[in-house]
Amino acid sequence: MSGAERLARAALTGIIEPGDETGGRLLREYGPLEVLRRLTGPGRERTEPGREQTAPGREQGRSRGSGEGAARAGAPPGGSLSGVSAKRLDGYRNRAAAVDPQRYLAAAAAVGGRLVCPGDEEWPSQLDDLGDARPVALWVRGRPNLRMWALRSVAVVGARACTAYGAHMAATLGAGLAERGWVVVSGAAFGVDGAAHRGVLAAGGATVAVLACGIDTVYPRGHAELIGRIAEQGLLVGELPPGGHPTPSRFVLRNRVIAALTRGTVVVEAEYRSGSLVTARSAQRMGRFTMGVPGPVTSGLSAGVHELLRGEGVLVTDAAEIVELVGEIGDLAPARRGPVLPRDLLDPVTARVLEALPARATVDARSVARDAGTSGDEALARLYELHSLGFVERHGDAWQLASSAVRGTSARRGGA
Amino acid sequence: MSGAERLARAALTGIIEPGDETGGRLLREYGPLEVLRRLTGPGRERTEPGREQTAPGREQGRSRGSGEGAARAGAPPGGSLSGVSAKRLDGYRNRAAAVDPQRYLAAAAAVGGRLVCPGDEEWPSQLDDLGDARPVALWVRGRPNLRMWALRSVAVVGARACTAYGAHMAATLGAGLAERGWVVVSGAAFGVDGAAHRGVLAAGGATVAVLACGIDTVYPRGHAELIGRIAEQGLLVGELPPGGHPTPSRFVLRNRVIAALTRGTVVVEAEYRSGSLVTARSAQRMGRFTMGVPGPVTSGLSAGVHELLRGEGVLVTDAAEIVELVGEIGDLAPARRGPVLPRDLLDPVTARVLEALPARATVDARSVARDAGTSGDEALARLYELHSLGFVERHGDAWQLASSAVRGTSARRGGA
């Protein structure tokens, strides 16, 4: 992807709202450069209305005209972007006039963040299941490779105002998934989300927080320390550019990213017809597993989960049951077939971390970090990537080479 | 069925243990009279061993010989009853020597009980699904017609040492099922069973206790008052003859009768791999619905239920969901198609109770009893029979004619 295209996508994250399928369609039909050009340049509708029906992405000469006025007059489908209402176009143009992609990239870089675009090596291709609701790009903060981590990830979500039982279950599942080498994705909210993240962090595990705001923005404020810790030890991910603020609709739309990113969604506590169930159902539609943790029938906070479990959701009571279910997808479970990537293609730091693992013994992440000459968080990030790739396994606090990787090592060493 | 056959079955309830499939097979092959004759008369093996292979039920001349000795010597399959081990035959013969069917019948009658045999009008034919484990006969105590009541019944079972949550749920479901006109079957045990029965009784509903002992025996002692109340307002049912005592295996085998008698089994609380799950699974095998009430994952008493719900069991949270599920069986749901029995074939008391219902208004059971000139319990017994037959409906505490029954009434009255 060209630098210009990346810059265009950076700008478009501030123009197209998360989940906006019209925007997604425009990107698919015209490409980011052309969409941005048409939204930021002066309109051209009045002069060449017939040209709007041309094939997507085809290079067209720029033309000038009183585009905004024409759009306001209700010109579409003969408008500057086919099939976009005047009102929506107005919104795009207004936001386009204010964006500064260079400032976004600088602000992201200032907190150690980066932009991950479709087509990038780090882009999680499963997000394409969202169709035109696919994020324009993702702002990512943290060491690990998002695509690698997301390969073996599960979402744990639920009510903000959860009970002590819900918090206990979220933390227990988070820790249990971490100890089995799985990455836990959630939304950094109060209640179930926070408990799940904390359970993972306490177990020295891998966790991703998908935010409904910019990756440089702390929301909720009460989770400042938690979010900071996730940025260090895990990943913060957001669709909105730096400085973006959450709104109720952004919270709901953020959930689709959580659902798409992971192999399955576990709902811990949710009221009847609550937002967590929306995440679970959208996961279901994309062919992901939806799971629920039951609770007392007498608790309103379990009513939504029970509703899910009376439908397509699978009842789970511990991390082992979750892994048993989501681990079944053959084509996404490289551990069973051995590494999916040759050692030689690993980046240097990851390769060093892999080399730090003894052929047959188990070690803890701290020893790996020491032997590889990396920080603890760096080692952990790489270990989870290597886990996704099938090179290593985690059992409790111990890491070891996967048996297939050991065989590969032996063969190579034998041949040397 | 002849009086002699009934007497033979009465005796055999004291000889063949509940769930004994060998005994069931013998009954099927030889019939009750012949089985009893061979077990009580002197043996004949030594004199005519070849005759043992003759067709079942064929009349054979009696012969005398040292049968018991031959059986003890391990004569089968050439023994007096084909395919029965010497040890088992010994057990049958020892018990047969002690039974007194006339005393059983007198003891049952003394507590207002009766014997219901396969082929009787009151025999619940769904028990035939048990195959050779079908009860020899059932001892029944209480006014209502067992077959009628069992037609629209659900089992609610669970742990003896249940939590306050389990007891609450059992009582709530019992009351809710009663208010929807459903009969609740359970085992009169402490914990979930007792709570379910009590919930039904408190709602003026219909409940059946299937006992692992004689219908004149109070077990557990602490439930003396409850069991007495069920005998008045509902039904006590047992496979063992009067005076029979419960044993651990009898408790387990009793559960198969609960499962077979009802359209579905709801497990409220059960430990991992507990007896209630055996009931639920045997229900499943017989094509009944198995349901479970979830609870906190942190409670060991919900672990068994969750195990069930991760398999074939359906998660239910209230009586409406249970009725929605079990009410789906078309051929057992006469209410949808109107009464299955013409009015003229109703027994006089039931017909009087039906006549006591106004054409369009709703009434409570007490008014029905007054107008029909019966006791309250008698009226309730008949109302539930009429409900099974599709003549009436219960909504909360109110009874009313089913719409199809009302049409029948109008037509008849119009024609008179």
Side-chain angles (χ1 to χ4, degrees):
Chain A
M1 178 173 298
S2 74
E5 271 191 46
R6 297 184 65 77
L7 205 62
R9 285 202 179 261
L12 288 164
T13 63
I15 298 170
I16 298 175
E17 273 289 302
D20 171 2
E21 298 193 43
T22 304
R25 178 180 61 78
L26 295 177
L27 277 174
R28 176 167 51 79
E29 291 181 355
Y30 298 88
L33 283 170
E34 184 60 20
V35 170
L36 188 64
R37 194 182 63 77
R38 297 201 184 192
L39 293 178
T40 50
R44 49 185 283 283
E45 304 73 44
R46 189 171 291 171
T47 51
E48 298 181 61
R51 295 291 295 276
E52 298 312 311
Q53 307 303 326
T54 53
R58 179 184 295 184
E59 201 56 37
Q60 297 175 350
R62 271 199 184 204
S63 61
R64 313 259 155 184
S66 55
E68 284 193 64
R72 279 197 200 94
S80 73
L81 289 160
S82 71
V84 182
S85 72
K87 189 182 165 198
R88 186 182 290 265
L89 199 59
D90 241 25
Y92 287 153
R93 286 183 170 280
N94 287 342
R95 287 193 293 273
V99 292
D100 181 349
Q102 297 288 10
R103 189 177 57 78
Y104 289 164
L105 288 164
V111 295
R114 59 191 177 275
L115 183 71
V116 175
C117 297
D120 283 356
E121 183 276 326
E122 196 180 348
W123 181 256
S125 57
Q126 61 267 41
L127 291 180
D128 299 351
D129 292 348
L130 287 166
D132 283 344
R134 184 179 80 166
V136 172
L138 288 175
W139 297 92
V140 177
R141 183 174 164 192
R143 285 179 190 80
N145 179 300
L146 175 62
R147 185 171 75 86
M148 289 296 118
W149 271 32
L151 269 181
R152 291 173 81 84
S153 68
V154 174
V156 176
V157 300
R160 282 179 174 74
C162 72
T163 67
Y165 167 68
H168 168 79
M169 287 309 303
T172 304
L173 294 180
L177 288 165
E179 285 171 0
R180 282 164 180 79
W182 283 74
V183 176
V184 175
V185 179
S186 195
F190 287 138
V192 166
D193 287 18
H197 288 303
R198 285 201 172 94
V200 178
L201 293 173
T207 196
V208 178
V210 180
L211 308 175
C213 58
I215 54 169
D216 62 339
T217 309
V218 168
Y219 189 92
R221 289 258 167 210
H223 273 178
E225 199 180 326
L226 174 66
I227 291 170
R229 188 76 194 97
I230 296 173
E232 284 301 308
Q233 190 173 328
L235 282 169
L236 296 181
V237 174
E239 294 180 82
L240 289 168
H245 289 291
T247 63
S249 74
R250 285 171 175 174
F251 281 120
V252 174
L253 288 157
R254 176 266 316 269
N255 295 347
R256 84 192 195 295
V257 178
I258 294 179
L261 209 52
T262 54
R263 286 208 209 165
T265 295
V266 183
V267 182
V268 173
E269 279 192 323
E271 289 192 74
Y272 193 66
R273 294 190 179 158
S274 77
S276 307
L277 300 179
V278 176
T279 316
R281 295 231 174 75
S282 86
Q284 187 92 41
R285 276 194 300 276
M286 286 183 288
R288 311 295 196 266
F289 291 100
T290 59
M291 294 156 275
V293 177
V297 169
T298 45
S299 164
L301 277 157
S302 284
V305 179
H306 294 153
E307 186 194 350
L308 182 73
L309 295 176
R310 283 176 49 75
E312 296 302 303
V314 175
L315 187 150
V316 292
T317 67
D318 60 25
E321 291 173 355
I322 296 168
V323 169
E324 187 191 12
L325 190 68
V326 299
E328 277 175 5
I329 313 177
D331 61 339
L332 281 177
R336 293 199 184 164
R337 302 174 300 138
V340 289
L341 200 74
R343 266 165 191 260
D344 303 347
L345 294 184
L346 294 175
D347 77 73
V349 179
T350 311
R352 230 160 62 218
V353 166
L354 182 57
E355 286 296 323
L357 281 135
R360 273 177 183 82
T362 62
V363 280
D364 64 15
R366 205 171 303 169
S367 318
V368 173
R370 198 181 47 235
D371 291 358
T374 67
S375 72
D377 289 336
E378 182 76 50
L380 210 60
R382 303 310 180 177
L383 282 168
Y384 272 94
E385 291 177 20
L386 288 164
H387 181 252
S388 285
L389 293 171
F391 283 103
V392 304
E393 288 166 5
R394 177 174 175 168
H395 303 287
D397 274 339
W399 291 87
Q400 66 176 52
L401 286 175
S403 52
S404 50
V406 173
R407 277 197 302 277
T409 307
S410 309
R412 208 180 51 172
R413 287 186 181 161
Chain B
M1 177 172 299
S2 73
E5 270 191 45
R6 297 184 67 78
L7 204 62
R9 286 203 180 259
L12 288 164
T13 63
I15 299 170
I16 298 174
E17 273 289 303
D20 171 3
E21 297 194 44
T22 303
R25 178 180 60 77
L26 295 177
L27 278 174
R28 177 168 50 78
E29 291 181 356
Y30 297 89
L33 282 171
E34 184 61 20
V35 170
L36 188 64
R37 195 181 64 76
R38 297 201 184 194
L39 292 178
T40 49
R44 49 184 286 283
E45 302 74 45
R46 188 173 291 171
T47 52
E48 299 181 60
R51 297 287 299 275
E52 297 313 310
Q53 307 302 327
T54 54
R58 179 184 294 185
E59 200 57 35
Q60 296 175 349
R62 272 200 183 201
S63 61
R64 315 257 154 186
S66 54
E68 285 192 63
R72 278 197 200 94
S80 73
L81 288 160
S82 72
V84 183
S85 73
K87 189 181 164 198
R88 187 183 288 266
L89 198 59
D90 242 24
Y92 287 154
R93 284 182 171 278
N94 287 343
R95 287 193 293 274
V99 293
D100 181 350
Q102 296 288 9
R103 189 176 57 77
Y104 289 165
L105 288 165
V111 294
R114 59 193 176 274
L115 183 71
V116 175
C117 296
D120 284 356
E121 183 277 325
E122 198 181 346
W123 181 256
S125 57
Q126 61 268 39
L127 291 180
D128 300 350
D129 291 350
L130 287 166
D132 284 344
R134 184 180 79 168
V136 173
L138 288 176
W139 297 92
V140 177
R141 183 175 163 191
R143 285 177 191 81
N145 179 300
L146 175 61
R147 186 171 74 88
M148 288 297 117
W149 271 32
L151 269 181
R152 291 173 81 85
S153 68
V154 174
V156 176
V157 299
R160 280 179 176 74
C162 71
T163 67
Y165 167 68
H168 168 79
M169 287 309 302
T172 304
L173 294 179
L177 288 165
E179 285 170 1
R180 282 165 181 79
W182 283 73
V183 176
V184 175
V185 179
S186 195
F190 287 139
V192 167
D193 288 17
H197 288 303
R198 286 201 172 93
V200 178
L201 293 173
T207 196
V208 178
V210 180
L211 309 175
C213 58
I215 54 170
D216 62 338
T217 309
V218 167
Y219 189 91
R221 289 259 167 208
H223 273 178
E225 200 180 325
L226 174 66
I227 290 169
R229 188 76 195 99
I230 296 172
E232 284 302 308
Q233 191 174 326
L235 282 170
L236 297 180
V237 175
E239 293 181 83
L240 289 169
H245 289 292
T247 63
S249 74
R250 285 171 176 174
F251 281 119
V252 174
L253 288 158
R254 177 268 313 273
N255 295 348
R256 84 193 195 293
V257 178
I258 293 178
L261 209 52
T262 54
R263 287 208 209 164
T265 294
V266 183
V267 182
V268 173
E269 280 191 323
E271 289 192 75
Y272 192 65
R273 296 193 176 156
S274 76
S276 307
L277 301 178
V278 176
T279 316
R281 296 230 175 76
S282 86
Q284 186 92 43
R285 276 194 300 276
M286 286 184 288
R288 312 294 196 267
F289 291 100
T290 59
M291 294 155 275
V293 177
V297 168
T298 45
S299 163
L301 276 157
S302 285
V305 179
H306 295 153
E307 186 195 350
L308 183 72
L309 295 176
R310 284 176 48 75
E312 296 302 304
V314 175
L315 187 149
V316 292
T317 67
D318 60 24
E321 291 172 355
I322 296 168
V323 169
E324 187 190 13
L325 190 68
V326 298
E328 277 175 4
I329 314 178
D331 60 340
L332 281 177
R336 293 197 183 163
R337 302 174 301 138
V340 290
L341 200 73
R343 265 165 192 258
D344 303 346
L345 293 184
L346 295 175
D347 76 74
V349 180
T350 311
R352 231 159 61 217
V353 166
L354 182 57
E355 287 296 323
L357 281 135
R360 278 187 175 75
T362 63
V363 280
D364 64 15
R366 206 172 302 170
S367 318
V368 172
R370 199 181 47 236
D371 290 357
T374 67
S375 72
D377 289 338
E378 182 75 50
L380 210 62
R382 303 310 179 176
L383 283 167
Y384 273 94
E385 291 176 21
L386 288 165
H387 181 251
S388 285
L389 292 170
F391 284 104
V392 304
E393 288 166 6
R394 177 173 174 167
H395 302 287
D397 274 338
W399 291 87
Q400 66 176 52
L401 286 176
S403 51
S404 51
V406 172
R407 277 197 301 277
T409 307
S410 309
R412 210 182 46 170
R413 287 187 180 160

